[in-house]
Amino acid sequence: MAEQLLYEGKAKKVFATDEEGVLVHRYKDAATAFNAQKRGSWKDKGRTNATVSSTIFAYLEAHGVLTHFVEQVDEAAIKTRKLEMLPIEVVVRNIAAGSLAKRLGYEEGTKLKAPIVELCYKDDDLGDPMVNWYHFRELGVSDEDLEFCEELGLKVNEILTPFFDERGVTLVDFKIEVGRDDDGRLMLADEISPDTCRFWDKETGEKLDKDRFRRDMGGLVEAYTEVARRLGIMNEMENVATKGPKLVQ
Ligand code: 5GP
């Protein structure tokens, strides 16, 4: 399969393929935080995130969520549908942490009365600010698209909260993105992984996500690997995620 580099992002490279409307996302071991002011990388991050994200996308597809996921190509790469991305980051929260804890003055770990959805304008130069529907209308985003984003965020949360709970992980919050295909269909895109979610061990509260990098806590390989292990996609012998989603049920 011929692959032509279209775009290199902070954590992945995106390639065109010779299949019409299909891209390959190749996950890197690199990590950034705080709008790329902090940089790092660790072993097997790309492979683990690609496999965790594939597993979650396949699970969501099996539960009625349309996504860009086509198939996992190898341990670090995923075939996706080519989409026109909305300039939106949809954040859904079950427990106060990170910027919400600061915004509301809540102690981190406070359970929210109901899930909170936030829409952020995806723009690195601006630091992805949270904005409201009026701002998005000004930016040319339709109300229908905003409604889709909020409903999708809540639906993904409804499916993934029990999925992780059964695997001993609390889904604290997460970020998703949405894109539109050539037929005008909106769908879930980007990735769902320890880079884009807060995962806390249900028993101990231990952080199993990118906050360990953001907050210099160490134990990154172990935390990301543990998420893969909880999803049952870990090859214990090699200590890396194995190829392919296996969890659709
Ligand atoms: P917060 O707003 O508290 O920093 O983040 C809320 C949730 O969304 C966290 O799970 C965080 O990982 C995710 N998130 C928000 N913005 C981004 C982003 O630009 N990149 C990534 N990887 N995750 C984000």
PDB file of all heavy atoms in Angstrom, residues 61-94:
ATOM      1  N   GLU A  61     -18.450   1.315  17.493  1.00  0.00           N
ATOM      2  CA  GLU A  61     -19.134   0.953  16.228  1.00  0.00           C
ATOM      3  C   GLU A  61     -20.139  -0.171  16.488  1.00  0.00           C
ATOM      4  O   GLU A  61     -21.262  -0.142  16.002  1.00  0.00           O
ATOM      5  CB  GLU A  61     -18.117   0.478  15.176  1.00  0.00           C
ATOM      6  CG  GLU A  61     -17.330   1.588  14.518  1.00  0.00           C
ATOM      7  CD  GLU A  61     -18.016   2.157  13.265  1.00  0.00           C
ATOM      8  OE1 GLU A  61     -19.056   1.623  12.857  1.00  0.00           O
ATOM      9  OE2 GLU A  61     -17.494   3.148  12.730  1.00  0.00           O
ATOM     10  N   ALA A  62     -19.703  -1.164  17.266  1.00  0.00           N
ATOM     11  CA  ALA A  62     -20.571  -2.313  17.553  1.00  0.00           C
ATOM     12  C   ALA A  62     -21.770  -1.904  18.413  1.00  0.00           C
ATOM     13  O   ALA A  62     -22.741  -2.650  18.514  1.00  0.00           O
ATOM     14  CB  ALA A  62     -19.769  -3.407  18.254  1.00  0.00           C
ATOM     15  N   HIS A  63     -21.690  -0.726  19.024  1.00  0.00           N
ATOM     16  CA  HIS A  63     -22.795  -0.229  19.850  1.00  0.00           C
ATOM     17  C   HIS A  63     -23.486   0.959  19.188  1.00  0.00           C
ATOM     18  O   HIS A  63     -24.042   1.836  19.865  1.00  0.00           O
ATOM     19  CB  HIS A  63     -22.287   0.106  21.252  1.00  0.00           C
ATOM     20  CG  HIS A  63     -21.996  -1.129  22.046  1.00  0.00           C
ATOM     21  ND1 HIS A  63     -20.866  -1.884  21.834  1.00  0.00           N
ATOM     22  CD2 HIS A  63     -22.709  -1.771  22.996  1.00  0.00           C
ATOM     23  CE1 HIS A  63     -20.883  -2.929  22.635  1.00  0.00           C
ATOM     24  NE2 HIS A  63     -21.989  -2.900  23.347  1.00  0.00           N
ATOM     25  N   GLY A  64     -23.409   1.007  17.861  1.00  0.00           N
ATOM     26  CA  GLY A  64     -24.249   1.948  17.107  1.00  0.00           C
ATOM     27  C   GLY A  64     -23.679   3.332  16.896  1.00  0.00           C
ATOM     28  O   GLY A  64     -24.412   4.240  16.480  1.00  0.00           O
ATOM     29  N   VAL A  65     -22.381   3.524  17.171  1.00  0.00           N
ATOM     30  CA  VAL A  65     -21.783   4.847  16.947  1.00  0.00           C
ATOM     31  C   VAL A  65     -21.002   4.808  15.633  1.00  0.00           C
ATOM     32  O   VAL A  65     -20.112   3.976  15.468  1.00  0.00           O
ATOM     33  CB  VAL A  65     -20.831   5.228  18.109  1.00  0.00           C
ATOM     34  CG1 VAL A  65     -20.139   6.560  17.822  1.00  0.00           C
ATOM     35  CG2 VAL A  65     -21.591   5.294  19.429  1.00  0.00           C
ATOM     36  N   LEU A  66     -21.341   5.705  14.724  1.00  0.00           N
ATOM     37  CA  LEU A  66     -20.600   5.782  13.453  1.00  0.00           C
ATOM     38  C   LEU A  66     -19.257   6.461  13.725  1.00  0.00           C
ATOM     39  O   LEU A  66     -19.205   7.525  14.357  1.00  0.00           O
ATOM     40  CB  LEU A  66     -21.421   6.599  12.451  1.00  0.00           C
ATOM     41  CG  LEU A  66     -20.890   6.690  11.033  1.00  0.00           C
ATOM     42  CD1 LEU A  66     -20.789   5.311  10.382  1.00  0.00           C
ATOM     43  CD2 LEU A  66     -21.785   7.614  10.196  1.00  0.00           C
ATOM     44  N   THR A  67     -18.161   5.820  13.278  1.00  0.00           N
ATOM     45  CA  THR A  67     -16.819   6.380  13.512  1.00  0.00           C
ATOM     46  C   THR A  67     -16.008   6.338  12.221  1.00  0.00           C
ATOM     47  O   THR A  67     -16.375   5.663  11.268  1.00  0.00           O
ATOM     48  CB  THR A  67     -16.041   5.586  14.588  1.00  0.00           C
ATOM     49  OG1 THR A  67     -15.458   4.427  13.985  1.00  0.00           O
ATOM     50  CG2 THR A  67     -16.919   5.166  15.753  1.00  0.00           C
ATOM     51  N   HIS A  68     -14.850   6.988  12.268  1.00  0.00           N
ATOM     52  CA  HIS A  68     -13.959   6.991  11.091  1.00  0.00           C
ATOM     53  C   HIS A  68     -13.138   5.699  10.996  1.00  0.00           C
ATOM     54  O   HIS A  68     -12.450   5.484  10.001  1.00  0.00           O
ATOM     55  CB  HIS A  68     -13.029   8.202  11.130  1.00  0.00           C
ATOM     56  CG  HIS A  68     -11.937   8.118  12.165  1.00  0.00           C
ATOM     57  ND1 HIS A  68     -10.834   8.947  12.152  1.00  0.00           N
ATOM     58  CD2 HIS A  68     -11.772   7.310  13.234  1.00  0.00           C
ATOM     59  CE1 HIS A  68     -10.042   8.634  13.149  1.00  0.00           C
ATOM     60  NE2 HIS A  68     -10.574   7.656  13.819  1.00  0.00           N
ATOM     61  N   PHE A  69     -13.239   4.834  11.992  1.00  0.00           N
ATOM     62  CA  PHE A  69     -12.368   3.658  12.072  1.00  0.00           C
ATOM     63  C   PHE A  69     -12.691   2.643  10.970  1.00  0.00           C
ATOM     64  O   PHE A  69     -13.840   2.254  10.790  1.00  0.00           O
ATOM     65  CB  PHE A  69     -12.560   3.000  13.440  1.00  0.00           C
ATOM     66  CG  PHE A  69     -11.748   1.746  13.633  1.00  0.00           C
ATOM     67  CD1 PHE A  69     -10.388   1.816  13.861  1.00  0.00           C
ATOM     68  CD2 PHE A  69     -12.347   0.500  13.573  1.00  0.00           C
ATOM     69  CE1 PHE A  69      -9.631   0.667  14.042  1.00  0.00           C
ATOM     70  CE2 PHE A  69     -11.607  -0.658  13.752  1.00  0.00           C
ATOM     71  CZ  PHE A  69     -10.247  -0.573  13.979  1.00  0.00           C
ATOM     72  N   VAL A  70     -11.660   2.218  10.237  1.00  0.00           N
ATOM     73  CA  VAL A  70     -11.832   1.181   9.218  1.00  0.00           C
ATOM     74  C   VAL A  70     -11.207  -0.117   9.721  1.00  0.00           C
ATOM     75  O   VAL A  70     -11.884  -1.130   9.858  1.00  0.00           O
ATOM     76  CB  VAL A  70     -11.213   1.610   7.867  1.00  0.00           C
ATOM     77  CG1 VAL A  70     -11.331   0.491   6.848  1.00  0.00           C
ATOM     78  CG2 VAL A  70     -11.885   2.884   7.352  1.00  0.00           C
ATOM     79  N   GLU A  71      -9.910  -0.090   9.982  1.00  0.00           N
ATOM     80  CA  GLU A  71      -9.246  -1.268  10.552  1.00  0.00           C
ATOM     81  C   GLU A  71      -7.870  -0.873  11.063  1.00  0.00           C
ATOM     82  O   GLU A  71      -7.317   0.149  10.651  1.00  0.00           O
ATOM     83  CB  GLU A  71      -9.097  -2.381   9.506  1.00  0.00           C
ATOM     84  CG  GLU A  71      -8.239  -1.985   8.329  1.00  0.00           C
ATOM     85  CD  GLU A  71      -7.945  -3.153   7.390  1.00  0.00           C
ATOM     86  OE1 GLU A  71      -8.029  -4.312   7.824  1.00  0.00           O
ATOM     87  OE2 GLU A  71      -7.623  -2.886   6.226  1.00  0.00           O
ATOM     88  N   GLN A  72      -7.336  -1.703  11.950  1.00  0.00           N
ATOM     89  CA  GLN A  72      -5.964  -1.488  12.400  1.00  0.00           C
ATOM     90  C   GLN A  72      -5.027  -2.165  11.393  1.00  0.00           C
ATOM     91  O   GLN A  72      -5.226  -3.321  11.026  1.00  0.00           O
ATOM     92  CB  GLN A  72      -5.760  -2.054  13.804  1.00  0.00           C
ATOM     93  CG  GLN A  72      -4.436  -1.616  14.413  1.00  0.00           C
ATOM     94  CD  GLN A  72      -4.318  -1.910  15.890  1.00  0.00           C
ATOM     95  OE1 GLN A  72      -5.185  -2.543  16.487  1.00  0.00           O
ATOM     96  NE2 GLN A  72      -3.233  -1.447  16.498  1.00  0.00           N
ATOM     97  N   VAL A  73      -4.027  -1.416  10.938  1.00  0.00           N
ATOM     98  CA  VAL A  73      -3.137  -1.907   9.885  1.00  0.00           C
ATOM     99  C   VAL A  73      -1.975  -2.688  10.491  1.00  0.00           C
ATOM    100  O   VAL A  73      -1.616  -3.765  10.037  1.00  0.00           O
ATOM    101  CB  VAL A  73      -2.562  -0.715   9.079  1.00  0.00           C
ATOM    102  CG1 VAL A  73      -1.622  -1.204   7.996  1.00  0.00           C
ATOM    103  CG2 VAL A  73      -3.672   0.132   8.501  1.00  0.00           C
ATOM    104  N   ASP A  74      -1.347  -2.100  11.498  1.00  0.00           N
ATOM    105  CA  ASP A  74      -0.315  -2.789  12.267  1.00  0.00           C
ATOM    106  C   ASP A  74      -0.373  -2.216  13.674  1.00  0.00           C
ATOM    107  O   ASP A  74      -1.262  -1.418  13.980  1.00  0.00           O
ATOM    108  CB  ASP A  74       1.066  -2.671  11.599  1.00  0.00           C
ATOM    109  CG  ASP A  74       1.544  -1.228  11.496  1.00  0.00           C
ATOM    110  OD1 ASP A  74       1.292  -0.442  12.422  1.00  0.00           O
ATOM    111  OD2 ASP A  74       2.167  -0.879  10.477  1.00  0.00           O
ATOM    112  N   GLU A  75       0.566  -2.568  14.533  1.00  0.00           N
ATOM    113  CA  GLU A  75       0.429  -2.172  15.940  1.00  0.00           C
ATOM    114  C   GLU A  75       0.290  -0.666  16.140  1.00  0.00           C
ATOM    115  O   GLU A  75      -0.326  -0.225  17.095  1.00  0.00           O
ATOM    116  CB  GLU A  75       1.640  -2.677  16.724  1.00  0.00           C
ATOM    117  CG  GLU A  75       1.554  -4.153  17.044  1.00  0.00           C
ATOM    118  CD  GLU A  75       2.758  -4.609  17.830  1.00  0.00           C
ATOM    119  OE1 GLU A  75       3.779  -3.902  17.846  1.00  0.00           O
ATOM    120  OE2 GLU A  75       2.664  -5.693  18.435  1.00  0.00           O
ATOM    121  N   ALA A  76       0.900   0.135  15.239  1.00  0.00           N
ATOM    122  CA  ALA A  76       0.910   1.586  15.465  1.00  0.00           C
ATOM    123  C   ALA A  76       0.087   2.367  14.438  1.00  0.00           C
ATOM    124  O   ALA A  76       0.125   3.591  14.452  1.00  0.00           O
ATOM    125  CB  ALA A  76       2.350   2.096  15.456  1.00  0.00           C
ATOM    126  N   ALA A  77      -0.630   1.672  13.564  1.00  0.00           N
ATOM    127  CA  ALA A  77      -1.305   2.399  12.482  1.00  0.00           C
ATOM    128  C   ALA A  77      -2.743   1.935  12.275  1.00  0.00           C
ATOM    129  O   ALA A  77      -3.060   0.752  12.402  1.00  0.00           O
ATOM    130  CB  ALA A  77      -0.523   2.238  11.183  1.00  0.00           C
ATOM    131  N   ILE A  78      -3.588   2.911  11.946  1.00  0.00           N
ATOM    132  CA  ILE A  78      -5.026   2.664  11.784  1.00  0.00           C
ATOM    133  C   ILE A  78      -5.489   3.250  10.459  1.00  0.00           C
ATOM    134  O   ILE A  78      -5.144   4.385  10.125  1.00  0.00           O
ATOM    135  CB  ILE A  78      -5.803   3.354  12.937  1.00  0.00           C
ATOM    136  CG1 ILE A  78      -5.408   2.760  14.279  1.00  0.00           C
ATOM    137  CG2 ILE A  78      -7.302   3.248  12.722  1.00  0.00           C
ATOM    138  CD1 ILE A  78      -5.937   3.553  15.452  1.00  0.00           C
ATOM    139  N   LYS A  79      -6.269   2.482   9.725  1.00  0.00           N
ATOM    140  CA  LYS A  79      -6.929   3.019   8.532  1.00  0.00           C
ATOM    141  C   LYS A  79      -8.202   3.720   8.971  1.00  0.00           C
ATOM    142  O   LYS A  79      -8.985   3.156   9.752  1.00  0.00           O
ATOM    143  CB  LYS A  79      -7.322   1.870   7.592  1.00  0.00           C
ATOM    144  CG  LYS A  79      -6.374   1.641   6.468  1.00  0.00           C
ATOM    145  CD  LYS A  79      -7.004   0.683   5.465  1.00  0.00           C
ATOM    146  CE  LYS A  79      -5.934   0.014   4.651  1.00  0.00           C
ATOM    147  NZ  LYS A  79      -6.499  -1.042   3.786  1.00  0.00           N
ATOM    148  N   THR A  80      -8.417   4.913   8.428  1.00  0.00           N
ATOM    149  CA  THR A  80      -9.623   5.673   8.776  1.00  0.00           C
ATOM    150  C   THR A  80     -10.276   6.211   7.509  1.00  0.00           C
ATOM    151  O   THR A  80      -9.622   6.334   6.474  1.00  0.00           O
ATOM    152  CB  THR A  80      -9.291   6.897   9.662  1.00  0.00           C
ATOM    153  OG1 THR A  80      -8.622   7.869   8.853  1.00  0.00           O
ATOM    154  CG2 THR A  80      -8.436   6.528  10.853  1.00  0.00           C
ATOM    155  N   ARG A  81     -11.557   6.555   7.630  1.00  0.00           N
ATOM    156  CA  ARG A  81     -12.211   7.287   6.552  1.00  0.00           C
ATOM    157  C   ARG A  81     -11.668   8.716   6.539  1.00  0.00           C
ATOM    158  O   ARG A  81     -11.416   9.297   7.603  1.00  0.00           O
ATOM    159  CB  ARG A  81     -13.720   7.374   6.800  1.00  0.00           C
ATOM    160  CG  ARG A  81     -14.432   6.055   6.787  1.00  0.00           C
ATOM    161  CD  ARG A  81     -15.943   6.308   6.856  1.00  0.00           C
ATOM    162  NE  ARG A  81     -16.673   5.077   6.752  1.00  0.00           N
ATOM    163  CZ  ARG A  81     -17.181   4.400   7.796  1.00  0.00           C
ATOM    164  NH1 ARG A  81     -17.041   4.869   9.013  1.00  0.00           N
ATOM    165  NH2 ARG A  81     -17.837   3.291   7.605  1.00  0.00           N
ATOM    166  N   LYS A  82     -11.532   9.264   5.332  1.00  0.00           N
ATOM    167  CA  LYS A  82     -11.086  10.655   5.192  1.00  0.00           C
ATOM    168  C   LYS A  82     -12.262  11.582   5.479  1.00  0.00           C
ATOM    169  O   LYS A  82     -13.330  11.416   4.883  1.00  0.00           O
ATOM    170  CB  LYS A  82     -10.585  10.869   3.770  1.00  0.00           C
ATOM    171  CG  LYS A  82     -10.002  12.218   3.513  1.00  0.00           C
ATOM    172  CD  LYS A  82      -9.265  12.233   2.192  1.00  0.00           C
ATOM    173  CE  LYS A  82      -8.491  13.514   2.081  1.00  0.00           C
ATOM    174  NZ  LYS A  82      -8.916  14.335   0.997  1.00  0.00           N
ATOM    175  N   LEU A  83     -12.070  12.510   6.399  1.00  0.00           N
ATOM    176  CA  LEU A  83     -13.163  13.397   6.803  1.00  0.00           C
ATOM    177  C   LEU A  83     -12.744  14.856   6.740  1.00  0.00           C
ATOM    178  O   LEU A  83     -11.559  15.173   6.836  1.00  0.00           O
ATOM    179  CB  LEU A  83     -13.576  13.099   8.258  1.00  0.00           C
ATOM    180  CG  LEU A  83     -13.979  11.669   8.625  1.00  0.00           C
ATOM    181  CD1 LEU A  83     -14.279  11.593  10.117  1.00  0.00           C
ATOM    182  CD2 LEU A  83     -15.181  11.209   7.809  1.00  0.00           C
ATOM    183  N   GLU A  84     -13.729  15.707   6.646  1.00  0.00           N
ATOM    184  CA  GLU A  84     -13.540  17.146   6.861  1.00  0.00           C
ATOM    185  C   GLU A  84     -13.819  17.381   8.344  1.00  0.00           C
ATOM    186  O   GLU A  84     -14.942  17.168   8.806  1.00  0.00           O
ATOM    187  CB  GLU A  84     -14.561  17.902   6.003  1.00  0.00           C
ATOM    188  CG  GLU A  84     -14.376  19.385   5.909  1.00  0.00           C
ATOM    189  CD  GLU A  84     -13.224  19.757   4.995  1.00  0.00           C
ATOM    190  OE1 GLU A  84     -13.109  19.150   3.908  1.00  0.00           O
ATOM    191  OE2 GLU A  84     -12.458  20.648   5.393  1.00  0.00           O
ATOM    192  N   MET A  85     -12.790  17.787   9.076  1.00  0.00           N
ATOM    193  CA  MET A  85     -12.966  17.876  10.534  1.00  0.00           C
ATOM    194  C   MET A  85     -13.681  19.173  10.938  1.00  0.00           C
ATOM    195  O   MET A  85     -13.434  20.239  10.362  1.00  0.00           O
ATOM    196  CB  MET A  85     -11.600  17.822  11.228  1.00  0.00           C
ATOM    197  CG  MET A  85     -10.855  16.511  11.013  1.00  0.00           C
ATOM    198  SD  MET A  85     -11.752  15.081  11.642  1.00  0.00           S
ATOM    199  CE  MET A  85     -11.687  15.402  13.409  1.00  0.00           C
ATOM    200  N   LEU A  86     -14.565  19.073  11.940  1.00  0.00           N
ATOM    201  CA  LEU A  86     -15.137  20.277  12.543  1.00  0.00           C
ATOM    202  C   LEU A  86     -14.069  20.889  13.454  1.00  0.00           C
ATOM    203  O   LEU A  86     -13.282  20.156  14.060  1.00  0.00           O
ATOM    204  CB  LEU A  86     -16.376  19.934  13.383  1.00  0.00           C
ATOM    205  CG  LEU A  86     -17.562  19.289  12.661  1.00  0.00           C
ATOM    206  CD1 LEU A  86     -18.727  19.100  13.653  1.00  0.00           C
ATOM    207  CD2 LEU A  86     -18.022  20.126  11.488  1.00  0.00           C
ATOM    208  N   PRO A  87     -14.046  22.215  13.594  1.00  0.00           N
ATOM    209  CA  PRO A  87     -13.005  22.851  14.429  1.00  0.00           C
ATOM    210  C   PRO A  87     -13.381  22.818  15.912  1.00  0.00           C
ATOM    211  O   PRO A  87     -13.344  23.841  16.596  1.00  0.00           O
ATOM    212  CB  PRO A  87     -12.981  24.283  13.883  1.00  0.00           C
ATOM    213  CG  PRO A  87     -14.395  24.528  13.471  1.00  0.00           C
ATOM    214  CD  PRO A  87     -14.937  23.214  12.954  1.00  0.00           C
ATOM    215  N   ILE A  88     -13.764  21.634  16.370  1.00  0.00           N
ATOM    216  CA  ILE A  88     -14.357  21.518  17.711  1.00  0.00           C
ATOM    217  C   ILE A  88     -13.706  20.382  18.494  1.00  0.00           C
ATOM    218  O   ILE A  88     -13.479  19.299  17.940  1.00  0.00           O
ATOM    219  CB  ILE A  88     -15.879  21.235  17.605  1.00  0.00           C
ATOM    220  CG1 ILE A  88     -16.576  22.343  16.814  1.00  0.00           C
ATOM    221  CG2 ILE A  88     -16.507  21.092  18.988  1.00  0.00           C
ATOM    222  CD1 ILE A  88     -18.067  22.098  16.593  1.00  0.00           C
ATOM    223  N   GLU A  89     -13.396  20.628  19.754  1.00  0.00           N
ATOM    224  CA  GLU A  89     -13.047  19.549  20.675  1.00  0.00           C
ATOM    225  C   GLU A  89     -14.218  19.419  21.646  1.00  0.00           C
ATOM    226  O   GLU A  89     -14.613  20.404  22.283  1.00  0.00           O
ATOM    227  CB  GLU A  89     -11.764  19.879  21.446  1.00  0.00           C
ATOM    228  CG  GLU A  89     -10.551  19.929  20.540  1.00  0.00           C
ATOM    229  CD  GLU A  89      -9.236  19.997  21.286  1.00  0.00           C
ATOM    230  OE1 GLU A  89      -9.242  20.328  22.500  1.00  0.00           O
ATOM    231  OE2 GLU A  89      -8.200  19.719  20.660  1.00  0.00           O
ATOM    232  N   VAL A  90     -14.784  18.231  21.708  1.00  0.00           N
ATOM    233  CA  VAL A  90     -15.915  17.980  22.594  1.00  0.00           C
ATOM    234  C   VAL A  90     -15.365  17.292  23.841  1.00  0.00           C
ATOM    235  O   VAL A  90     -14.798  16.204  23.751  1.00  0.00           O
ATOM    236  CB  VAL A  90     -16.950  17.049  21.924  1.00  0.00           C
ATOM    237  CG1 VAL A  90     -18.176  16.897  22.814  1.00  0.00           C
ATOM    238  CG2 VAL A  90     -17.323  17.550  20.539  1.00  0.00           C
ATOM    239  N   VAL A  91     -15.512  17.952  24.985  1.00  0.00           N
ATOM    240  CA  VAL A  91     -15.031  17.372  26.242  1.00  0.00           C
ATOM    241  C   VAL A  91     -16.242  16.964  27.073  1.00  0.00           C
ATOM    242  O   VAL A  91     -17.204  17.735  27.185  1.00  0.00           O
ATOM    243  CB  VAL A  91     -14.157  18.387  27.026  1.00  0.00           C
ATOM    244  CG1 VAL A  91     -13.791  17.854  28.407  1.00  0.00           C
ATOM    245  CG2 VAL A  91     -12.895  18.734  26.234  1.00  0.00           C
ATOM    246  N   VAL A  92     -16.217  15.744  27.595  1.00  0.00           N
ATOM    247  CA  VAL A  92     -17.296  15.266  28.468  1.00  0.00           C
ATOM    248  C   VAL A  92     -16.673  14.868  29.802  1.00  0.00           C
ATOM    249  O   VAL A  92     -15.621  14.227  29.827  1.00  0.00           O
ATOM    250  CB  VAL A  92     -18.038  14.062  27.842  1.00  0.00           C
ATOM    251  CG1 VAL A  92     -19.192  13.613  28.742  1.00  0.00           C
ATOM    252  CG2 VAL A  92     -18.566  14.422  26.456  1.00  0.00           C
ATOM    253  N   ARG A  93     -17.361  15.258  30.893  1.00  0.00           N
ATOM    254  CA  ARG A  93     -16.787  15.038  32.225  1.00  0.00           C
ATOM    255  C   ARG A  93     -17.799  14.386  33.161  1.00  0.00           C
ATOM    256  O   ARG A  93     -18.976  14.771  33.170  1.00  0.00           O
ATOM    257  CB  ARG A  93     -16.382  16.378  32.847  1.00  0.00           C
ATOM    258  CG  ARG A  93     -15.441  17.194  31.984  1.00  0.00           C
ATOM    259  CD  ARG A  93     -15.271  18.573  32.592  1.00  0.00           C
ATOM    260  NE  ARG A  93     -14.406  19.432  31.812  1.00  0.00           N
ATOM    261  CZ  ARG A  93     -13.077  19.470  31.903  1.00  0.00           C
ATOM    262  NH1 ARG A  93     -12.449  18.682  32.748  1.00  0.00           N
ATOM    263  NH2 ARG A  93     -12.376  20.301  31.156  1.00  0.00           N
ATOM    264  N   ASN A  94     -17.305  13.441  33.938  1.00  0.00           N
ATOM    265  CA  ASN A  94     -18.116  12.803  34.980  1.00  0.00           C
ATOM    266  C   ASN A  94     -17.664  13.211  36.376  1.00  0.00           C
ATOM    267  O   ASN A  94     -18.446  13.185  37.326  1.00  0.00           O
ATOM    268  CB  ASN A  94     -18.032  11.281  34.837  1.00  0.00           C
ATOM    269  CG  ASN A  94     -18.578  10.815  33.496  1.00  0.00           C
ATOM    270  OD1 ASN A  94     -19.723  11.115  33.161  1.00  0.00           O
ATOM    271  ND2 ASN A  94     -17.759  10.112  32.722  1.00  0.00           N
TER     272      ASN A  94
END
